[in-house]
Amino acid sequence: MIPPKPAPRPEKVSLWRYMRLFRQDILSAQPDKLYRAWMAEFRTPFFRSYLVNQPQLVKEVLNRRADDFPKSGRIGEGLRPLLGESVFLTNGPVWKRQRRIIDPAFEGGRLRDTYPAMWAAAQAAVRRIDTKVGPEPVEIESETSHAAADVIFRTLFSIPIEHEIASQVFTQFRDYQRTQPILNLAAFLPLPRWVPRFHRRRTRVSAKAIRSLITRLTSERMQQIEAGHAPDDLATKIMTTADPETGARFSTGEMVDQVAIFFLAGHETSASALAWTLYLVALFPEWQERLAKEASGLKNGDFSNVSSLKLSRDVFREALRLYPPVPMMVRQASCTETFRGRSIDPGAQIVLSPWHLHRHARLWDNPDGFDPTRWQAENGKQCQRDAYIPFSSGPRVCTGAGFAMVEGPLILSMLLKHFRFERVAGKDPVPVAHLTVRSKDGIWLRVSRR
Ligand code: HEM
């Protein structure tokens, strides 16, 4: 049984048709040959893009010479109203300074401290889903979004999703997504840079509302820090960390930008990954039973659980391979380059595609199949590991990678300890890329108690 994969577009299409397909979904707008190619060039009237699929070239761009390939300015255009100058969008010295302040909060030791909050969020997810058990299918993406947003609020600000401001941010965020800022075509499509960028009014309005709620949380926290009674959570850690080079801390305004990206990057991605993982275990019930058995050993809020969830981690990894929440990343060449004998001009867009790399026919055994055993140490092939970048790689690697690899397997195990998830005939999901890889009409599963 092969898990769902979007149908590729025909080999040759006009630019106009490509733009229309792109508008619907980036994944099905691409031709099949990208699953075999090492590199592909897209010519548009105003700029060139190159999709790079060869592990050595990916390393060159993301790891070895990351400074020469800054984040493309085009990608931020759709997200700027919400994210301002957050670490996700900046480059150069500003970005380096932001990472120096943020990274310590996500180091190994801190993960242990955030674990009780993740555990509490996982328990809350079990209570919510318990009310939906029965013959009627449940839409799982909205459940995992709720759970992942809860994790972010509990770990960042020590408040549950039911908190008045947290629940408002969550609701406003759903509105923001509905305006689909990723489809702000200026960010991707061949418009020259001098064309003014318009964001839909609704996108601007909901971004403003989210930012004003986050500003309230952040200002309150700044006051608590100054008064010496702030909770010991990620927000306090980040807001009290001084840049080791300059000694400066984030101002409240700068922190608002960072909270916006933690919320966006931290909950959208984990929600997508968890929803696809639950679908995959419904598709492969023998794996679901093995995970449920492993999960029966989960002990109350104990961090040592993490190392015991081996199968859960392998399954979560395999889900991140087949459905990488961030399907593509875009960088920009700052010098003239020669890639695979082709000359690349400064300003060209370099697209790294976890989606294609993770299913590359020349790099993976059984590329479209679900096989969590490939992650077991004895089966692990280096060439496959080099082709696996769900969290990106190099200095710009996802800040929350370690966090997500604790959160995902934990929530997955907790849910499978209590429930059985079953596929609903005729309602298999169709992957599409929105802000992250989602299913076209949601992921519907039937849930029963164990
Ligand atoms: C399964 C879950 C997750 C996945 C698959 C994921 C994936 C990614 C990827 C691919 C990038 C790089 C994007 C690019 O360079 O264009 C990224 C960046 C980032 N992620 Fe994650 N992420 C996840 C969870 C999280 C969590 C839980 C947090 C925080 C709590 C987080 C915070 C960030 C931040 C701040 C960045 C920007 C880093 C920078 O540009 O320096 N992510 N993530």
Side-chain angles (χ1 to χ4, degrees):
M1 169 103 57
I2 295 293
K5 179 178 177 182
R9 71 151 160 88
E11 205 60 36
K12 290 230 174 306
V13 290
S14 66
L15 181 61
W16 177 242
R17 171 98 199 280
Y18 181 55
M19 283 172 73
R20 284 197 31 220
L21 284 167
F22 209 106
R23 220 193 144 97
Q24 284 158 18
D25 164 43
I26 319 174
L27 301 179
S28 50
Q30 310 304 335
D32 203 36
K33 65 176 182 204
L34 294 190
Y35 294 106
R36 296 194 60 78
W38 293 129
M39 183 165 137
E41 180 174 350
F42 299 89
R43 288 166 188 242
T44 75
F46 303 103
F47 64 87
R48 297 270 160 95
S49 324
Y50 299 85
L51 186 132
V52 171
N53 249 350
Q54 187 180 14
Q56 273 156 297
L57 278 180
V58 173
K59 270 202 183 130
E60 185 82 359
V61 173
L62 292 179
N63 300 62
R64 285 192 214 110
R65 292 179 44 220
D67 283 349
D68 294 340
F69 297 97
K71 207 150 201 187
S72 162
R74 287 176 175 267
I75 212 76
E77 284 161 10
L79 295 168
R80 188 93 42 204
L82 178 66
L83 300 182
E85 287 298 300
S86 87
V87 64
F88 194 77
L89 300 181
T90 51
N91 275 314
V94 174
W95 167 77
K96 285 190 177 156
R97 172 178 161 269
Q98 292 172 336
R99 288 285 303 228
R100 287 197 296 269
I101 298 178
I102 291 167
D103 283 356
F106 288 90
E107 276 162 11
R110 286 306 287 195
L111 275 182
R112 179 182 289 273
D113 299 344
T114 56
Y115 190 72
M118 288 184 188
W119 178 272
Q123 282 185 313
V126 168
R127 285 194 296 275
R128 269 193 308 274
I129 293 182
D130 197 58
T131 62
K132 305 199 171 157
V133 161
E136 285 305 310
V138 178
E139 204 291 289
I140 292 296
E141 282 187 337
S142 51
E143 296 303 322
T144 56
S145 281
H146 208 135
D150 197 19
V151 169
I152 290 294
F153 281 113
R154 286 177 194 261
T155 53
L156 203 57
F157 281 109
S158 305
I159 53 176
I161 189 81
E162 290 78 21
H163 180 281
E164 186 207 341
I165 301 184
S167 68
Q168 282 185 53
V169 172
F170 184 51
T171 317
Q172 286 283 353
F173 193 79
R174 267 194 309 222
D175 289 352
Y176 179 79
Q177 272 178 304
R178 286 201 188 106
T179 67
Q180 290 186 315
I182 198 92
L183 291 188
N184 184 324
L185 294 184
F188 286 96
L189 284 177
L191 295 173
R193 308 240 19 149
W194 43 262
V195 172
R197 274 36 173 176
F198 296 109
H199 296 289
R200 290 186 201 168
R201 206 183 91 78
R202 268 182 61 207
T203 307
R204 273 185 285 117
V205 169
S206 47
K208 202 167 162 213
I210 296 172
R211 287 182 62 87
S212 89
L213 291 163
I214 294 178
T215 305
R216 270 171 65 194
L217 284 177
T218 312
S219 312
E220 273 170 30
R221 176 54 56 87
M222 194 59 106
Q223 283 163 13
Q224 288 173 321
I225 291 171
E226 279 160 10
H229 55 73
D232 180 22
D233 51 23
L234 289 178
T236 299
K237 171 76 182 157
I238 294 168
M239 290 168 81
T240 54
T241 298
D243 174 2
E245 285 189 14
T246 64
R249 296 180 183 175
F250 281 145
S251 65
T252 306
E254 285 173 305
M255 186 63 187
V256 170
D257 291 346
Q258 311 312 332
V259 173
I261 186 58
F262 293 146
F263 184 70
L264 173 74
H267 108 279
E268 258 289 303
T269 48
S270 293
S272 152
L274 265 171
W276 284 107
T277 316
L278 286 170
Y279 169 73
L280 285 168
V281 295
L283 200 57
F284 297 92
E286 65 288 0
W287 275 99
Q288 182 167 177
E289 293 315 305
R290 291 179 69 187
L291 259 58
K293 195 160 165 237
E294 180 182 77
S296 63
L298 273 174
K299 285 189 284 300
N300 230 353
D302 180 353
F303 190 69
S304 66
N305 282 320
V306 172
S307 54
S308 69
L309 300 178
K310 290 197 176 59
L311 292 177
S312 178
R313 226 173 5 258
D314 288 346
V315 166
F316 192 67
R317 273 199 193 118
E318 182 68 344
L320 287 174
R321 182 183 73 81
L322 286 170
Y323 301 103
V326 179
M328 289 179 205
M329 299 176 269
V330 190
R331 300 292 189 264
Q332 193 160 316
S334 56
C335 318
T336 305
E337 305 285 346
T338 307
F339 279 3
R340 297 188 59 80
R342 261 184 265 191
S343 174
I344 293 179
D345 290 338
Q349 307 289 296
I350 310 293
V351 180
L352 297 313
S353 174
W355 181 274
H356 292 96
L357 197 61
H358 290 183
R359 291 172 180 260
H360 203 282
R362 295 203 249 170
L363 294 167
W364 295 89
D365 302 332
N366 187 13
D368 295 324
F370 174 76
D371 178 13
T373 63
R374 72 173 90 234
W375 298 109
Q376 288 163 4
E378 63 275 20
N379 298 344
K381 293 191 181 155
Q382 193 55 42
C383 55
Q384 305 199 337
R385 285 172 196 267
D386 284 349
Y388 184 68
I389 51 166
F391 296 105
S392 185
S393 180
R396 254 205 128 125
V397 68
C398 170
T399 340
F403 181 103
M405 286 309 298
V406 173
E407 174 196 12
L410 172 67
I411 299 184
L412 175 65
S413 300
M414 192 81 119
L415 294 179
L416 295 181
K417 180 178 175 175
H418 291 90
F419 308 112
R420 189 168 277 121
F421 293 84
E422 229 181 292
R423 184 179 166 210
V424 181
K427 267 189 173 288
D428 285 310
V430 178
V432 288
H434 289 301
L435 216 46
T436 50
V437 172
R438 292 302 179 115
S439 161
K440 190 161 166 270
D441 300 305
I443 293 182
W444 295 85
L445 298 175
R446 207 165 276 118
V447 189
S448 55
R449 280 192 201 99
R450 277 191 189 273

